[in-house]
Amino acid sequence: MAHFAQHIWPKEGGRWEPRGPIVDNKWPGAAWPSNVWAGTSVESQKYAPRLNCLRRVPAKVRFVSVEPMLGPVALRPWLPYHECVPWDKGDHTQCETALMPTVSWVICGGESGPGARPMHPDWARSLRDQCQRAGVPFFFKQWGGWVWAPDELNYADALAWARERVPLASAHEFHGSGHTAFKVGKGAAGALLDGREWREWPV
């Protein structure tokens, strides 16, 4: 792997680019091994441009790890898609298809550890929905150190709900949105998203 890693290095200004051209699906100096998957981490939308470099890696499986998820992430420019929308206020439609999808697997997870920050459920749901529309496997790894109370509970009931699981759970109201997360540790938080596990793998 080190042989291939030496061909990706940050240039001045922090941009990551392969050294040398990719010709006939070959990495500079050698063919990319068929059993090696390639991926990168994208913690928030700020880091999504890393996928432009991943797009140039001729790996059989290219994946993105959205972990720890620190904000909403839109992956549409790098996912396969085909969408038709009304055009010019008439009966015609305009269809758009991604010709060069980058990502064939998405992993998502929250942050854990003493200084962990909560991951909002809507961020994870949006990512899952993007993957479902594109037919890309979605793997939800964990909530991290925080768990979210059901939306219908008021604060007092939410606190009681959390302390049934972890007696010393501490609360955090998410940006004043009315949603309440509780710091319970990743073991207690688990990995259920909307009542089920999402552990999909690329074929």
Side-chain angles (χ1 to χ4, degrees):
M1 188 64 188
H3 172 80
F4 299 99
Q6 68 180 329
H7 292 290
I8 310 179
W9 205 251
K11 292 183 176 181
E12 293 182 10
R15 293 185 60 194
W16 289 67
E17 294 289 347
R19 291 179 176 171
I22 298 173
V23 179
D24 296 331
N25 203 37
K26 292 186 177 181
W27 201 245
W32 187 269
S34 61
N35 63 327
V36 177
W37 297 4
T40 187
S41 59
V42 173
E43 300 92 324
S44 65
Q45 196 66 34
K46 173 183 176 181
Y47 301 103
R50 293 173 181 168
L51 295 169
N52 293 327
C53 184
L54 182 64
R55 172 174 282 166
R56 301 182 65 187
V57 179
K60 185 176 181 179
V61 172
R62 290 176 293 196
F63 65 91
V64 56
S65 177
V66 186
E67 185 184 18
M69 193 176 200
L70 303 179
V73 175
L75 292 179
R76 175 175 167 166
W78 300 278
L79 293 174
Y81 63 86
H82 180 79
E83 183 176 22
C84 296
V85 296
W87 178 71
D88 198 24
K89 298 182 180 181
D91 295 331
H92 302 287
T93 57
Q94 178 175 319
C95 297
E96 186 179 11
T97 302
L99 299 178
M100 189 191 297
T102 299
V103 175
S104 49
W105 189 30
V106 175
I107 304 164
C108 175
E111 191 172 33
S112 58
R117 292 155 287 185
M119 171 180 62
H120 197 285
D122 289 345
W123 300 347
R125 290 180 182 125
S126 172
L127 199 60
R128 175 202 60 197
D129 294 347
Q130 292 175 58
C131 290
Q132 287 191 305
R133 285 194 296 268
V136 170
F138 175 74
F139 190 103
F140 187 71
K141 188 174 177 182
Q142 62 175 20
W143 280 108
W146 296 78
V147 68
W148 290 85
D151 293 346
E152 65 272 13
L153 298 182
N154 61 35
Y155 180 81
D157 290 341
L159 184 60
W161 173 88
R163 288 186 171 168
E164 286 178 2
R165 291 153 178 78
V166 178
L168 298 179
S170 59
H172 173 82
E173 187 171 354
F174 193 80
H175 299 314
S177 67
H179 298 282
T180 307
F182 294 88
K183 193 168 188 180
V184 297
K186 67 178 182 180
L192 296 181
L193 176 60
D194 290 335
R196 59 158 286 188
E197 289 187 339
W198 298 84
R199 297 186 175 273
E200 300 173 344
W201 289 75
V203 178

